[in-house]
Amino acid sequence: MSEENLQPVFQIQRVYLKDMSLEQPNSPSIFLEQEAPSIEVALDVGAEPLSEGIFESTVTVTVTAKVKDKVAFLVEGKQAGIFEARNIPAEQLDPLLGIGCPNIVYPYLRSNIADMITRAGFPPIHLAEINFEVFYQQRLAAIAQQQAGEAGATPVEGTATVQ
C-alpha cells in the first residue's frame, strides 16, 4: 500500500436540516401576555456510521418558552452532517464525531432555530455557543457512571436553562 492511501482524511460531505418542528399550543392568546417568557434549552448530540468511513453527526436542540404555566412555543430542530473520516486512529475518531462534527453542524442549527422562532411571531432567541468538548467529557463521565452501576447516574442528554 502506498503512503498516500494511509493519510488521514476528514471532509464534510453535506450539512442539512434533518427535522424541525414548532408547537404553539396557546396561540393566539399567548401573544397578549406582557410577561417575558422563561426559556429552557435542551441539547443532544449523536453520531452513527453510514458506510465504511462515512458518518452522520447530529445535533438536536429543543427550546421551550413558557409564560407563567403556559407554553408559548416549543421548537425542536435536528441538524445533521455527513462526514468522511478515514484512516483516523480509533482513539481520535470518537472525539472527532463527538466534538469536531457538532462544532461544524451547530451554527447552522442555531440559525435555523432563531429563524423558526422569528417566523412564529416571537422575538428571536439566539442560542449560546456550546463547548462541545466539555459536553463530550460530561457524556463520557455519565456513561462511565452508568456502566459502573451507580444509582442516580446523570442522563446522557444535557440540559441548560437560560433566562
Side-chain angles (χ1 to χ4, degrees), residues 81-108:
I82 298 174
F83 299 90
E84 179 180 7
R86 298 183 192 280
N87 302 322
I88 295 176
E91 68 275 2
Q92 294 176 6
L93 184 60
D94 195 51
L96 177 65
L97 295 173
I99 300 167
C101 294
N103 273 320
I104 293 168
V105 170
Y106 182 66
Y108 294 93

Side-chain angles (χ1 to χ4, degrees), residues 30 33-40 64-68 70-73 122-123 125 162-163:
I30 201 71
E33 294 287 341
Q34 299 300 312
E35 187 177 320
S38 64
I39 306 295
E40 182 180 298
T64 307
K66 292 182 179 179
V67 177
K68 300 174 186 158
K70 292 182 185 175
V71 173
F73 65 83
F122 296 95
I125 293 176
V162 180
Q163 294 296 335

Side-chain angles (χ1 to χ4, degrees), residues 8 19 45 52 54 57 73 88 91 152:
D19 186 28
V45 299
E52 179 67 33
I54 306 293
S57 175
F73 65 83
I88 295 176
E91 68 275 2

